[in-house]
């Protein structure tokens, strides 16, 4: 039987559109298998299913083979994104020699992006990075209480701010991820939190990517969701966040929701989901808020949903209780 979890195989690789210097270009996305995020042994974040994607014994040799596979598929795309289900700057995931090889291999592309927790972003680690690097920072929320109790992130918003400013001082790019609707929040709270967090992140970001919470398997959030105590955000909420922010921040606003339109991901009534997700994709590229002018009758249901949440003072999944539609679009 083929070993699907071989440490010398990439987890995934695909091509998609993204932006470099204000231009839409092709990007190669590489998901590497590594020893996994250092934070997982402290329980990990409440919504993160990455522990499923990481292994325990990935050697330098294995990582070298994964790099060769990526290079065999590389067709001179100007943008390369390398995800490790953790931190690219963590030596335990990507040893320095391998990191150097990867950065060298893609030194000719205009932009290379990877993610890192802020504790690995130091004066020393940043000094050696080539200038085509953008670091993606998972801020999630600028509210320290939300980060601590709702996301269990293990760092503070100020840790991210320090890392972001250090990257900017060194001439590197910053893409900041925000989480729309961490657990225990109503839709209205989630919208406010995302808007405030984006204003906080704008100081040190080139791009702000809003990630609506997608319920991943074997996570704390999945347990809440199965009990009807969590509903993934409405697409209207994401649209509202963009409308409030549009024209008021310098960073490019973007979102490419995973699981969009499914019960586990950001969703509306089912009829308008695709149109709205397409509109959000167009907005992410051109920043034109008129793209978001899509209409559907379910917007009144979204308003009613938020009013009910406020009256009940609860973020429980009211949709599910009233309509029991869990199995329809999972
Ligand atoms: S969200 Fe990021 S920091 Fe949190 S456990 Fe997952 S990989 Fe680690
Ligand atoms: Zn609708």
């Amino acid at each position: 039987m083929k070993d699907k979890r071989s440490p010398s195989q990439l987890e995934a690789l695909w091509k998609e559109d993204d932006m470099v210097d204000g231009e839409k270009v092709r990007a190669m996305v590489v998901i590497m298998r590594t020893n996994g995020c250092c934070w997982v042994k402290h329980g990990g974040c409440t919504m993160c299913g990455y522990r499923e994607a990481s292994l325990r014994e990935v050697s330098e040799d294995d990582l070298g083979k994964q790099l060769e596979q990526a290079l065999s598929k590389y067709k001179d795309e100007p943008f390369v994104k390398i995800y490790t289900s953790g931190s690219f700057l963590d030596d335990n995931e990507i040893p320095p020699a391998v990191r150097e090889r990867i950065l060298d291999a893609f030194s000719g592309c205009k932009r290379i992006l990877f993610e890192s927790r802020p504790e690995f972003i130091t004066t020393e680690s940043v000094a050696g990075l080539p200038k085509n690097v953008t670091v993606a920072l998972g801020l999630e929320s600028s509210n320290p209480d939300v980060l601590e109790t709702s996301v269990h992130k293990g760092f503070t918003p100020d840790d991210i701010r320090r890392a972001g400013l250090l990257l900017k001082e060194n001439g590197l790019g910053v893409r900041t991820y925000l989480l729309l609707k961490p657990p225990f929040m109503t839709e209205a709270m989630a919208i406010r939190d995302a808007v405030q967090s984006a204003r906080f992140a704008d100081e040190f970001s080139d791009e702000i990517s809003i990630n609506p919470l997608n319920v991943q398997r074997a996570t704390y959030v999945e347990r809440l969701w199965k009990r009807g105590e969590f509903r993934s955000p409405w697409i209207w909420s994401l649209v509202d966040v963009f409308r409030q922010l549009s024209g008021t921040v310098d960073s490019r606003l973007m979102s490419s929701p995973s699981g969009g339109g499914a019960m586990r991901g950001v969703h509306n009534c089912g009829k308008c989901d695709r149109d709205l997700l397409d509109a959000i994709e167009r907005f992410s590229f051109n920043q034109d808020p008129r793209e978001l002018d899509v209409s559907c009758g379910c917007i009144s249901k979204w308003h009613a949903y938020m009013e009910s949440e406020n009256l009940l003072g609860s973020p429980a999944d009211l949709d599910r209780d009233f309509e029991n539609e869990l199995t329809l679009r999972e």
Side-chain angles (χ1 to χ4, degrees), residues 37-40 44-45 47-50 85-86 117 140 153 155:
C37 176
C38 64
W39 184 240
V40 166
C45 301
M47 73 302 182
C48 179
Y50 280 173
S85 310
R117 284 177 61 91
E140 322 296 7
K153 197 77 202 189
F155 54 70

Side-chain angles (χ1 to χ4, degrees), residues 296-316:
C296 179
C298 73
I299 197 164
S300 55
K301 200 178 159 200
W302 170 65
H303 283 298
Y305 188 97
M306 289 203 290
E307 267 171 40
S308 308
E309 274 189 329
N310 285 345
L311 285 173
L312 294 169
S314 156

Side-chain angles (χ1 to χ4, degrees), residues 197-270:
S197 300
R199 300 207 191 292
F200 174 85
D202 195 33
E203 177 192 11
F204 53 83
S205 307
D206 302 295
E207 296 162 308
I208 296 173
S209 179
I210 312 243
N211 297 328
L213 197 150
N214 176 37
V215 179
Q216 296 179 8
R217 297 190 194 274
T219 58
Y220 175 73
V221 168
E222 188 188 48
R223 290 214 295 279
L224 293 176
W225 179 73
K226 284 190 167 160
R227 291 204 301 253
E229 290 167 21
F230 179 80
R231 185 207 190 275
S232 300
W234 289 73
I235 308 178
W236 294 124
S237 299
L238 180 57
V239 167
D240 193 12
V241 169
F242 282 147
R243 282 194 198 285
Q244 291 190 48
L245 290 171
S246 175
T248 71
V249 289
D250 294 327
S251 311
R252 176 167 85 94
L253 298 165
M254 57 183 291
S255 183
S256 33
S258 25
M263 290 300 283
R264 286 174 177 265
V266 65
H267 65 278
N268 278 356
C269 69

Side-chain angles (χ1 to χ4, degrees), residues 19-184:
M19 300 279 276
V20 174
D21 298 334
E23 243 184 81
K24 194 172 182 177
V25 299
R26 289 302 278 169
M28 179 168 84
V29 184
V30 182
I31 315 281
M32 294 185 76
R33 287 184 177 152
T34 70
N35 292 324
C37 176
C38 64
W39 184 240
V40 166
K41 60 177 178 287
H42 301 279
C45 301
T46 52
M47 73 302 182
C48 179
Y50 280 173
R51 75 194 73 200
E52 300 275 293
S54 47
L55 304 168
R56 256 184 233 123
E57 298 293 335
V58 183
S59 67
E60 285 201 27
D61 193 40
D62 291 327
L63 293 166
K65 288 191 178 125
Q66 293 186 42
L67 172 61
E68 279 162 30
Q69 286 158 43
L71 285 171
S72 73
K73 299 274 163 43
Y74 185 52
K75 297 274 180 285
D76 293 330
E77 286 81 11
F79 194 177
V80 174
K81 301 191 257 188
I82 300 192
Y83 298 110
T84 65
S85 310
S87 296
F88 186 79
L89 296 177
D90 177 357
D91 292 351
N92 185 46
E93 279 195 66
I94 306 284
V98 178
R99 191 179 307 133
E100 213 169 295
R101 273 179 68 194
I102 296 174
L103 293 174
D104 271 0
F106 297 111
S107 61
C109 71
K110 283 192 174 164
R111 191 177 187 201
I112 177 163
L113 177 142
F114 55 76
E115 300 172 314
S116 183
R117 284 177 61 91
E119 56 264 45
F120 303 111
I121 300 171
T122 61
T123 314
E124 297 73 43
S125 69
V126 162
L129 294 174
K131 299 300 177 215
N132 61 348
V133 161
T134 293
V135 181
L137 302 172
L139 167 64
E140 322 296 7
S141 169
S142 62
N143 181 327
D145 294 335
V146 170
L147 269 200
E148 191 180 335
T149 54
S150 180
V151 184
H152 189 245
K153 197 77 202 189
F155 54 70
T156 67
D158 281 339
D159 293 332
I160 288 279
R161 180 172 179 270
R162 177 206 58 77
L165 291 174
L166 181 64
L167 291 163
K168 298 307 309 163
E169 274 163 27
N170 281 269
L172 301 168
V174 176
R175 178 176 286 187
T176 301
Y177 295 137
L178 301 180
L179 182 65
L180 176 64
K181 206 173 177 189
F184 317 123

